[in-house]
Amino acid sequence: MSSLYDAVGGDATFSRIAAGFYAQVKTDDILGPMYPEDDWEGAENRLKWFLAQYWGGPATFNEKRGAPMLRRRHHEFPVDRAAAIRWLELMKVSLDSIDEETIPAGYRHQIWDHMERVAAMLINREDPGTPPSLAH
């Protein structure tokens, strides 16, 4: 049984997703400032490795970075609801730039569902103007 990674074109497709995403992030007013100016290539590679590994490709992310631990790795960044929504907006543009022949609808839905779960999981700040929680 082949993996989703293999079914959608492997490394080439996940490279396109990551490159398309980061091409937008560089000038984005919410996400752009979260990235060090001297590590765009590294950030793009890490995203590509993570997505490829998650969908059945090589374990490059684990080999180079260790276990993903996404919440811990992103804790220092102010990810509020607006940032998560923007991440999804830019990721959707990147994913939609890849034709349906390369990523058929069923696989596209699986990838998108995962991206929505990841974006929600990474929220670590309240939105500005949100009343403080009453639970202490």
Side-chain angles (χ1 to χ4, degrees), residues 40-113:
W40 289 111
E41 183 179 349
E44 187 175 316
N45 282 332
R46 291 186 294 275
L47 176 62
K48 175 184 74 168
W49 298 335
F50 170 75
L51 292 173
Q53 179 175 300
Y54 183 85
W55 292 109
T60 306
F61 189 96
N62 278 16
E63 291 165 5
K64 294 186 178 282
R65 307 278 295 167
M69 301 177 294
L70 294 180
R71 281 189 60 84
R72 191 179 72 106
R73 289 184 191 277
H74 290 82
H75 183 73
E76 69 182 273
F77 305 106
V79 181
D80 59 10
R81 186 171 180 273
I85 289 169
R86 181 63 57 83
W87 188 88
L88 286 169
E89 289 170 352
L90 300 186
M91 192 57 77
K92 183 169 183 354
V93 169
S94 181
L95 192 58
D96 286 353
S97 74
I98 300 172
D99 61 89
E100 191 119 347
E101 187 176 315
T102 301
I103 306 178
Y107 293 131
R108 187 175 302 270
H109 177 74
Q110 289 178 53
I111 292 168
W112 186 249
D113 184 59

Side-chain angles (χ1 to χ4, degrees), residues 110-124:
Q110 289 178 53
I111 292 168
W112 186 249
D113 184 59
H114 176 249
M115 290 179 177
E116 287 183 316
R117 287 192 319 270
V118 168
M121 176 193 65
L122 292 179
I123 295 173
N124 59 23

